[in-house]
Amino acid sequence: MTEPVAHLAGTARSLPAPPLSLADGPLFGLPLPELWFGLLFFIFAVFLVLDGFDFGVGALFATREDPHEREQLIAAIGPFWDGNEVWLVVFGGAMFAAFPSVYAALFSRHYLLMFAILGALILRGLAPELYEQREDDAWKRWWGRAFVVGSVTAPFFLGVFAANWVLGATRIVTVPGVVVGLAVVALTVVDGAAFLRLKTRGGLQTDLERAGLRALVAYVGLVVLALGTIYATTPAVRSALTSPLALGLVVATVALAGGYAVAMRRDRHLAAFATAAGLVFALVGVVARLTYPYVDRATGRTVGDAIVSTLPLNLMTIGAAVLLPLVFGYFVVLYSTFSGPVEAGETY
């Protein structure tokens, strides 16, 4: 009896191991929780770069009195703004898919702030559409102001949200949140001025150089104030704030700010826009560094605690690897199709 048993045991050992399923471990052994944490902030940064210049254009709209120049500003973002907002939807979807408990806790804790952001975005999107519907002066004045209000309040509320998320604040209004909100508004003007320098010509382009440089000075000052305020009021993030990565991002911000100023002075419009995008990514990088290893400091949930189980995480990773390049491809086609400056007389 022992020989057949030994024979069967040897046969079992010689059989190939069954293939691993998607539920057995992370895809290719990758650190997927950390990768999705990074992807979440990358998506937020892309949104803030692309929709940020829309916000900046709306803020700069308030500085123009000439109706033809106002038409140019609205026409410059006309083909892009609704597509740019897709990235905010992707951000919310990625958080819901990868960190559902954080999505529920964070958005319910700040639901009034979420409604304020949505209201500002609706106003910003609706205003230019209605602005073009009638030639009545009072009508245009009203919807022009609505466009400015929506374009300024949306990034402000987003900055407040980001600061509250990092610090684990349970209140909507905090001093660091207000300062960060103002910094994000200034950053969108920096971004918007650089974008409009790509899309306009003549005297308007010269005026936008001055506006962009003033906004840059305001942004750098507000960043310094924000970091100082966070360091003074939130001991829990002091070690992260003084970490090599955070300090490196601060140094990068100073270098990028200098590059932006030089590019604007020398009429290197594409370089100015690239450095503005770099400033956005540096800011979001600091936010991510101050947050990690938590993904929701208020509830104490770390990245490893809050991530979904292995099987859905692997499936989402495969889906993201397929879909995100397609989305980027769409935006390449969109921006290539509508590249070049806005011509005189062109409208939204």
Side-chain angles (χ1 to χ4, degrees):
M1 297 293 291
T2 57
E3 290 183 3
V5 172
H7 175 72
L8 291 173
T11 303
R13 285 195 297 270
S14 65
L15 291 174
L20 292 175
S21 72
L22 289 174
D24 288 335
L27 198 66
F28 304 122
L30 296 171
L32 293 185
E34 288 74 18
L35 288 177
W36 272 91
F37 177 82
L39 179 62
L40 191 67
F41 282 95
F42 173 79
I43 292 169
F44 186 70
V46 171
F47 163 74
L48 202 55
V49 170
L50 297 182
D51 217 26
F53 71 69
D54 297 329
F55 298 142
V57 170
L60 290 167
F61 185 87
T63 67
R64 315 316 302 171
E65 296 292 337
D66 185 273
H68 299 294
E69 290 184 349
R70 289 190 159 199
E71 293 284 357
Q72 278 186 284
L73 265 60
I74 294 178
I77 64 170
F80 308 117
W81 72 264
D82 49 351
N84 293 339
E85 285 190 354
V86 167
W87 289 102
L88 185 60
V89 178
V90 175
F91 169 76
M95 180 180 286
F96 175 76
F99 304 102
S101 60
V102 174
Y103 178 92
L106 185 63
F107 284 22
S108 62
R109 190 165 66 243
H110 296 297
Y111 71 96
L112 290 178
L113 189 54
M114 294 299 101
F115 277 111
I117 292 171
L118 290 175
L121 290 173
I122 291 169
L123 188 63
R124 193 283 309 269
L126 187 64
E129 298 280 353
L130 293 175
Y131 181 87
E132 298 291 339
Q133 297 304 310
R134 289 168 53 179
E135 295 300 323
D136 179 77
D137 289 341
W139 176 271
K140 283 188 172 291
R141 190 182 311 114
W142 167 259
W143 287 111
R145 290 171 179 171
F147 180 43
V148 174
V149 170
S151 299
V152 171
T153 55
F156 175 76
F157 291 139
L158 283 166
V160 173
F161 168 77
N164 289 350
W165 183 11
V166 170
L167 304 179
T170 56
R171 295 181 293 112
I172 294 176
V173 180
T174 62
V175 173
V178 171
V179 177
V180 172
L182 293 173
V184 173
V185 173
L187 181 57
T188 60
V189 176
V190 170
D191 195 15
F195 174 76
L196 286 174
R197 295 262 290 173
L198 284 166
K199 303 294 288 184
T200 60
R201 295 291 182 266
L204 176 59
Q205 194 181 61
T206 303
D207 289 346
L208 290 168
E209 176 190 332
R210 291 192 290 268
L213 293 176
R214 289 169 184 165
L216 179 68
V217 172
Y219 172 68
V220 172
L222 286 165
V223 165
V224 172
L225 180 60
L227 294 177
T229 303
I230 291 171
Y231 187 87
T233 60
T234 315
V237 301
R238 285 177 183 169
S239 60
L241 189 58
T242 55
S243 66
L245 178 57
L247 293 175
L249 288 169
V250 171
V251 172
T253 296
V254 175
L256 287 164
Y260 178 89
V262 171
M264 291 288 272
R265 291 289 191 187
R266 295 183 178 179
D267 293 334
R268 302 295 178 90
H269 309 314
L270 189 58
F273 185 70
T275 53
L279 287 170
V280 173
F281 272 90
L283 176 64
V284 175
V286 171
V287 171
R289 178 61 191 93
L290 296 185
T291 305
Y292 189 81
Y294 297 97
V295 71
D296 185 12
R297 189 179 295 275
T299 58
R301 290 185 175 95
T302 64
V303 173
D305 297 334
I307 198 71
V308 294
S309 58
T310 303
L311 177 58
L313 185 61
N314 285 339
L315 291 173
M316 288 189 306
T317 303
I318 295 171
V322 173
L323 293 176
L324 282 178
L326 295 177
V327 174
F328 276 108
Y330 162 77
F331 275 86
V332 169
V333 172
L334 174 66
Y335 279 83
S336 299
T337 302
F338 294 98
S339 62
V342 176
E343 300 298 335
E346 189 174 342
T347 62
Y348 180 76

